[in-house]
């Protein structure tokens, strides 16, 4: 059995237990999975049955977002036209939902200004330090000159050509990460390079970025943080 068939089988075999997998989809899965073998990141699946859903102890209606209606329309188009032409628009809408939950009105206005100028936004989470926040390489530190953000992110969407970025970092004495809204001029100071080959018909490239930049407190996403 070829290596790509084995790799694709980890996904296809699970799907086949629910419904037959068409040969074309099987081939697509095999080609996609074999591409992941050169990644420096491995996500382990224990392959255990999912726990049954539990009723939430707190009854609270979910917040509604205007973006979800547009996302639903895009999903319908993806079904007919494929994902490659709609991926970045969908990711941008998810990003705008995240910003509405975490950014102040002034920060949202700044982001909207960048977007209107055609500047692409990036969300940089994946860190070479691994899943444990304490081991992350990306860190916000206090210095004699003020706040310094040491950036070391990998496999970011289009991170080889940063516009503005939401950089998730650790900070000393904090048990949870903090997000820094990095403007285009500071993103330009980071070392950026593509990693691996592009996905989705050449329309999606992953990238790594590194460097240190001085930031200010008004760049921290603080809405809802007590």
């Amino acid at each position: 059995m070829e290596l790509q068939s084995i790799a694709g089988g980890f996904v296809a075999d699970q799907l086949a237990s629910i419904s037959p997998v068409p040969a074309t989809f099987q081939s697509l899965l095999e080609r996609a999975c074999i591409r992941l073998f050169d990644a420096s990141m491995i996500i382990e699946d224990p392959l255990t049955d999912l726990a049954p859903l539990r009723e939430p102890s707190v009854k609270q209606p979910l917040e509604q977002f205007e973006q979800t209606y547009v996302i639903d329309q895009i999903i319908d188009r993806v079904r007919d036209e494929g994902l490659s032409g709609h991926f970045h628009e969908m990711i941008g809408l998810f990003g705008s939902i995240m910003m509405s939950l975490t950014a102040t009105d002034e920060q949202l206005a700044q982001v909207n200004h960048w977007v209107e100028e055609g500047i692409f936004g990036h969300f940089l989470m994946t860190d070479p330090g691994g899943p444990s926040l304490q081991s992350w390489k990306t860190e916000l530190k206090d210095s004699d000159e003020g706040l310094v953000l040491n950036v070391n992110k990998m496999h970011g969407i289009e991170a080889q050509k940063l516009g503005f970025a939401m950089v998730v970092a650790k900070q000393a004495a904090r048990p949870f990460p903090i997000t820094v809204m990095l403007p285009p001029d500071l993103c330009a100071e980071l070392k950026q390079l593509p990693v691996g080959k592009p996905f989705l018909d050449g329309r999606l490239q992953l990238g790594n970025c590194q460097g240190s930049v001085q930031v200010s407190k008004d760049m921290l996403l603080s809405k809802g943080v007590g």
Side-chain angles (χ1 to χ4, degrees), residues 45-152:
D45 185 349
L47 300 178
T48 56
D49 293 335
L50 296 177
L53 291 176
R54 297 169 53 188
E55 284 292 327
S57 56
V58 178
K59 304 294 184 181
Q60 182 176 350
L62 294 176
E63 186 173 350
Q64 298 297 312
F65 302 96
E66 295 180 3
Q67 296 93 327
T68 58
Y69 301 106
V70 182
I71 291 172
D72 288 340
Q73 295 173 358
I74 293 175
I75 291 174
D76 289 338
R77 296 203 297 270
V78 168
R79 179 189 57 204
D80 300 324
E81 304 167 12
L83 178 60
S84 60
H86 301 288
F87 175 79
H88 286 90
E89 182 182 5
M90 185 180 294
I91 288 296
L93 288 166
F94 282 121
S96 66
I97 291 176
M98 182 198 75
M99 290 296 297
S100 70
L101 294 171
T102 59
T104 64
D105 291 341
E106 292 77 12
Q107 290 168 334
L108 280 174
Q110 179 63 80
V111 167
N112 290 333
H113 175 70
W114 288 331
V115 172
E116 289 171 1
E117 290 189 336
I119 301 175
F120 190 77
H122 307 256
F123 181 71
L124 302 178
M125 167 69 82
T126 311
D127 196 284
S132 174
L133 180 64
Q134 290 72 26
S135 302
W136 274 19
K137 309 300 181 185
T138 303
E139 184 173 11
L140 183 66
K141 287 186 171 184
D142 287 304
S143 70
D144 294 337
E145 293 76 26
L147 290 173
V148 173
L149 180 65
N150 296 320
V151 180
N152 190 342

